[in-house]
Amino acid sequence: MPTAVSDHYLMNKRTYNQFCPLAYSLDVIGDRWTLLIIRELMFGPRRYTDLQQGLPGIGTNLLAKRLKDMEAADIISQQKLPPPAASHVYTLTERGKSLQPIIMQLAEWGKPYLAEGFQSDDYFSTVSCMSALRMMFTPEKATGISATVDISRGSEAFFVQVHRGVLAVQTGLAPLADASVRFDDLKTLLMLIGNPATRQQAQASGMMTLTGDETVFDSLLGAFNLPV
Amino acid sequence: MPTAVSDHYLMNKRTYNQFCPLAYSLDVIGDRWTLLIIRELMFGPRRYTDLQQGLPGIGTNLLAKRLKDMEAADIISQQKLPPPAASHVYTLTERGKSLQPIIMQLAEWGKPYLAEGFQSDDYFSTVSCMSALRMMFTPEKATGISATVDISRGSEAFFVQVHRGVLAVQTGLAPLADASVRFDDLKTLLMLIGNPATRQQAQASGMMTLTGDETVFDSLLGAFNLPV
DNA sequence: CCGAATCCTTATTGATACTG
DNA sequence: CAGTATCAATAAGGATTCGG
């Protein structure tokens, strides 16, 4: 009964009650966690538990509520996965995808605060890392580099490919990767981009595990630039 | 002692604890009311009570807290007014002003929700009205129009000037206005833009009071277009 | 395991009254 | 005017439970 969802959305929701497009926007996406949920969906569909992983601290009841509200507002939709996986995923609708430029601008605006002083125990979401890699990619440094590397942490994985000056960052494992790296904290990857020479030290200290072609991984690091 | 303010900011504030520029943005401007406060400051400095008027429902304690947090985050600043007015105002800092494009995009994104179905008791903030007028101004329709009109509601006032195809919307009263209109609800002004022929009816019903040159006011209405 | 629903505690907010 | 103080109403956070 879809009416129940709509009713829930229309009835028990706090609103600014202002005749103003900004206020209406905020009524829809201004609640705590909402924009971060959308960020988590920006690289493709995610399951409920994937979202929980990417958003530590959200609390399962709140995540469920947000997902319902967002579905009622038509910014995400729930989709069933084909038979093998007896599960379903959440996806951005067109309306949800249209928030991407806003999210990018907000991220750009927030960079100084992050740079000024982040807490060492800050969680680095997989999606946030993928997004960061896209931003740090430097085409001029990528000439001659051809590398496909799987990156994983815990049960999450994505891969990065640089080939002929083109970057691809995607969820999941690459069909044919040159190397695989595993981190406990993805911030280690940023550290390596800033200082590639510390790779062996990172391996020795157990901060990362690298299998496959090490030189390809090193060359991949060269295609990125840590923002000053 | 500015340290006290900073301490307050750093210490008792809920944060996402995510290494992500978007999360840091939202730590700063993601709280309820914050972006609407910034909207209220977009047309220039405002006093505490002005802000209260533009944000019905905020509660004075919360407004005070937000203002402190925003000052600590360097997006607004408090300024003393010169002697005659024994008062002070809040202004956007450069960092605060740099949020303007984001706010505009958010407003653009929210338009459909507003158009679909707004509540008739929604409050139409003066600032929101000023902003709407800017968006609805249609230069092609403004040729030949020269009008300066004061607009007021309650204790708030601003003026609109169209001259040689240029629009100016500013807080306060114009030094030399052709006409003055007063509304109980500024949505009436939008109605007049959509249907200028209803002006006399609006006056007769007491929804608006018009003094000065009526034909100039009518010509002014012609310079705007209600979005379809 | 996945995807929540429930219960309970804490934090934030909203409304009102009050003060320098 | 420009806030504080107080207190009730909500929302968020955390742990546990429960049905596919």
Side-chain angles (χ1 to χ4, degrees):
Chain A
M1 192 191 292
T3 324
V5 174
S6 296
D7 283 352
H8 170 269
Y9 170 60
L10 292 172
M11 287 177 56
N12 90 45
K13 198 152 196 300
R14 182 187 270 174
T15 155
Y16 286 111
N17 263 287
Q18 288 218 13
F19 184 85
C20 165
L22 175 63
Y24 267 74
S25 273
L26 295 175
D27 280 341
V28 175
I29 53 143
D31 284 334
R32 192 166 165 78
W33 295 109
T34 302
L35 280 180
L36 290 185
I37 293 172
I38 295 168
R39 177 200 72 189
E40 287 296 306
L41 296 175
M42 282 209 314
F43 280 86
R46 290 283 188 282
R47 289 172 306 175
Y48 190 87
T49 39
D50 298 331
L51 295 173
Q52 279 188 303
Q53 275 203 56
L55 304 166
I58 192 179
T60 174
N61 53 347
L62 190 51
L63 177 55
K65 181 183 193 313
R66 288 286 183 271
L67 291 172
K68 267 180 203 147
D69 289 344
M70 291 165 75
E71 193 176 358
D74 190 36
I75 53 185
I76 64 169
S77 73
Q78 220 185 49
Q79 302 194 330
K80 299 224 175 300
L81 249 47
S87 175
H88 59 261
V89 292
Y90 295 92
T91 323
L92 290 180
T93 61
E94 285 309 309
R95 186 125 190 78
K97 283 180 193 163
S98 71
L99 283 165
Q100 184 149 352
I102 292 173
I103 286 181
M104 291 309 192
Q105 273 196 267
L106 271 171
E108 196 60 42
W109 187 84
K111 272 187 187 175
Y113 293 104
L114 182 61
E116 271 168 29
F118 59 90
Q119 302 301 113
S120 61
D121 64 334
D122 280 353
Y123 177 76
F124 194 17
S125 145
T126 305
V127 169
S128 191
C129 182
M130 292 170 77
S131 181
L133 287 174
R134 275 199 183 159
M135 305 228 268
M136 299 188 303
F137 180 65
T138 314
E140 306 84 58
K141 296 181 67 181
T143 55
I145 296 178
S146 185
T148 305
V149 175
D150 284 330
I151 300 176
S152 63
R153 179 196 44 175
S155 60
E156 298 185 282
F158 65 98
F159 70 87
V160 179
Q161 181 176 79
V162 172
H163 188 65
R164 300 202 178 209
V166 174
L167 170 74
V169 183
Q170 277 177 244
T171 300
L173 293 173
L176 194 61
D178 300 308
S180 279
V181 270
R182 163 167 289 272
F183 298 98
D184 287 327
D185 185 342
L186 291 171
K187 290 203 282 293
T188 304
L189 178 57
L190 296 194
M191 185 197 72
L192 289 176
I193 288 173
N195 192 352
T198 58
R199 195 206 81 207
Q200 302 209 347
Q201 188 186 329
Q203 283 177 278
S205 65
M207 295 169 74
M208 74 174 271
T209 316
L210 168 55
T211 59
D213 193 328
E214 306 188 346
T215 51
V216 170
F217 177 70
D218 284 337
S219 71
L220 180 74
L221 292 179
F224 299 90
N225 243 336
L226 221 51
V228 281
Chain B
M1 190 192 294
T3 325
V5 175
S6 296
D7 283 353
H8 170 269
Y9 170 61
L10 292 172
M11 285 177 57
N12 85 47
K13 196 151 198 300
R14 182 188 268 173
T15 154
Y16 287 111
N17 263 287
Q18 288 218 14
F19 184 86
C20 165
L22 175 64
Y24 267 75
S25 272
L26 296 174
D27 280 341
V28 175
I29 53 143
D31 285 334
R32 191 165 167 77
W33 294 110
T34 301
L35 280 179
L36 290 185
I37 293 171
I38 295 168
R39 178 200 71 189
E40 286 297 305
L41 296 175
M42 281 209 313
F43 280 85
R46 288 284 187 284
R47 290 172 306 175
Y48 190 86
T49 40
D50 298 331
L51 295 173
Q52 278 188 302
Q53 276 203 57
L55 304 166
I58 191 177
T60 175
N61 54 348
L62 189 52
L63 176 56
K65 182 186 192 311
R66 288 287 181 272
L67 291 172
K68 268 181 202 145
D69 288 344
M70 291 165 75
E71 192 175 1
D74 191 36
I75 53 186
I76 64 170
S77 73
Q78 219 184 46
Q79 301 193 330
K80 299 222 175 301
L81 248 45
S87 174
H88 60 259
V89 292
Y90 294 93
T91 323
L92 290 180
T93 61
E94 285 309 309
R95 188 130 189 74
K97 283 180 193 164
S98 71
L99 283 166
Q100 184 147 353
I102 291 173
I103 286 180
M104 291 309 192
Q105 273 196 267
L106 271 171
E108 196 59 44
W109 187 84
K111 271 188 187 174
Y113 293 105
L114 182 60
E116 272 168 29
F118 59 91
Q119 302 301 114
S120 61
D121 64 333
D122 279 353
Y123 177 76
F124 195 18
S125 147
T126 305
V127 169
S128 192
C129 182
M130 294 170 76
S131 181
L133 288 174
R134 274 198 183 159
M135 305 227 267
M136 299 188 304
F137 180 64
T138 314
E140 306 84 56
K141 296 182 67 181
T143 55
I145 297 178
S146 186
T148 306
V149 175
D150 285 330
I151 300 176
S152 62
R153 179 196 45 175
S155 60
E156 299 183 282
F158 66 98
F159 69 89
V160 179
Q161 180 176 78
V162 172
H163 187 64
R164 300 203 176 209
V166 174
L167 169 76
V169 183
Q170 278 175 245
T171 299
L173 293 174
L176 194 63
D178 301 308
S180 280
V181 270
R182 161 167 289 273
F183 298 98
D184 288 327
D185 185 340
L186 291 171
K187 289 202 282 291
T188 305
L189 178 56
L190 297 194
M191 185 196 71
L192 289 176
I193 287 173
N195 192 353
T198 57
R199 196 206 81 208
Q200 301 208 347
Q201 187 185 330
Q203 284 177 277
S205 65
M207 295 170 74
M208 75 174 272
T209 315
L210 169 55
T211 60
D213 193 327
E214 306 188 345
T215 51
V216 169
F217 178 70
D218 284 337
S219 72
L220 180 74
L221 292 179
F224 299 90
N225 242 336
L226 221 53
V228 282

